[in-house]
Amino acid sequence: MRRAVIRFAETGAALSARYHRARLLDAGHLPRSGPVLLVGNHGLWGYETPAFFHLIQRATGRYPQGLAERGFFKIPVVRTVLPWLGGVEGTRDNALETLRQGHLVVCYPGGAWETFKKPGHHYTLRWEGTLGFARLAARAQVPVLPFAGYGVDGTFVCPEDERWHVSLAPGEKYRVPLGMPVPLPVQMTFALGEPLIPPPATASDEALQGFRERIASRVRHLLVRACHA
C-alpha cells in the first residue's frame, strides 16, 4: 500500500511539473549531502509543493522533507500518508531531528496564512513576525537556503469576496477562498539563493529578527528573479 501511494504521488508530481513547465533556477546551491533548511514563499493551497519537491529530487537525487501544518496530523488518513510523502509534523523537535538526520528540510514560515491567501496578498510574505525558522536554524546550526516560487499564486482563480470563503477551523488564517477547481497551465519558476549561516544558538531575539528579515529580503529578491527569468 505504501509503495503504491508513493509511486502514485511521484507520478502526479512529475505530471504537475510537466503541466506547469516548472523550472528550478540555480540548483547548484543545493548541497549534495548534509542538512540544510530551505525557506521560502508558499503558493495558493500549497498546490505547487509536489512539483517543487520533484524538481529538487531530480536535481540532487535527494528527497526533501517538508514541515507540514500540525493540524493535518489530526486527520486519521492524512497523518498516515503524509510521512510517506516526505511530510513532517511541524514541531521544533521533529524539525531538529530531521535536520540532525542530514535531510533537506523545506519550511514555509507563512503556513496557512500564505496557503489560503486572498488574491490581494499574492506574492506577499505573510510570515506574521514568526521567529520559528530562525530559531530552529540557530539551534541546529544548519545553513538556511532561501527560495522563491513564481507562478504559484496564479494557478487558481479565487474571489476576493468573503462570501466565497469557507472556514476550515477557528481563526482568520484558516479561511479558504473557493475558486476554480482546475489549475491553470501557468508556468512555475523556482529560484534558489545561496545558503546563509544563522546566528549562534545563544543569539538574542533581536539577532534572530535581523536574520529573519535578511532571509525575507532574499526571498523577495528571488521572487523578482523568478518572475523575469
Side-chain angles (χ1 to χ4, degrees), residues 53-92:
F53 280 29
H54 170 76
L55 294 178
I56 292 175
Q57 192 278 327
R58 192 173 66 181
T60 65
R62 305 178 67 185
Y63 288 91
Q65 305 291 299
L67 300 180
E69 182 78 20
R70 283 177 281 183
F72 289 138
F73 290 84
K74 297 178 181 179
I75 306 172
V77 174
V78 176
R79 70 185 176 206
T80 299
V81 173
L82 260 184
W84 298 351
L85 306 179
V88 177
E89 186 175 2
T91 67
R92 187 174 301 170

Side-chain angles (χ1 to χ4, degrees), residues 52-190:
F52 180 46
F53 280 29
H54 170 76
L55 294 178
I56 292 175
Q57 192 278 327
R58 192 173 66 181
T60 65
R62 305 178 67 185
Y63 288 91
Q65 305 291 299
L67 300 180
E69 182 78 20
R70 283 177 281 183
F72 289 138
F73 290 84
K74 297 178 181 179
I75 306 172
V77 174
V78 176
R79 70 185 176 206
T80 299
V81 173
L82 260 184
W84 298 351
L85 306 179
V88 177
E89 186 175 2
T91 67
R92 187 174 301 170
D93 287 344
N94 287 343
L96 280 169
E97 180 58 30
T98 307
L99 288 168
R100 285 169 181 159
Q101 291 173 3
H103 290 289
L104 297 174
V105 177
V106 178
C107 173
Y108 297 101
W113 283 112
E114 288 184 359
T115 301
F116 303 137
K117 66 175 79 72
K118 299 175 185 177
H121 290 137
H122 284 184
Y123 301 111
T124 59
L125 302 184
R126 302 206 60 193
W127 293 5
E128 308 303 317
T130 179
L131 290 178
F133 80 84
R135 189 168 282 118
L136 169 65
R139 184 171 173 184
Q141 281 301 288
V142 299
V144 173
L145 193 157
F147 71 87
Y150 188 78
V152 301
D153 285 340
T155 49
F156 299 96
V157 176
C158 298
E160 282 276 10
D161 194 328
E162 284 288 337
R163 291 175 297 179
W164 294 96
H165 289 64
V166 175
S167 293
L168 295 184
E172 178 63 23
K173 71 176 181 178
Y174 294 107
R175 287 187 58 76
V176 182
L178 300 179
M180 59 180 293
V182 179
L184 297 171
V186 297
Q187 184 170 40
M188 292 183 184
T189 301
F190 300 94

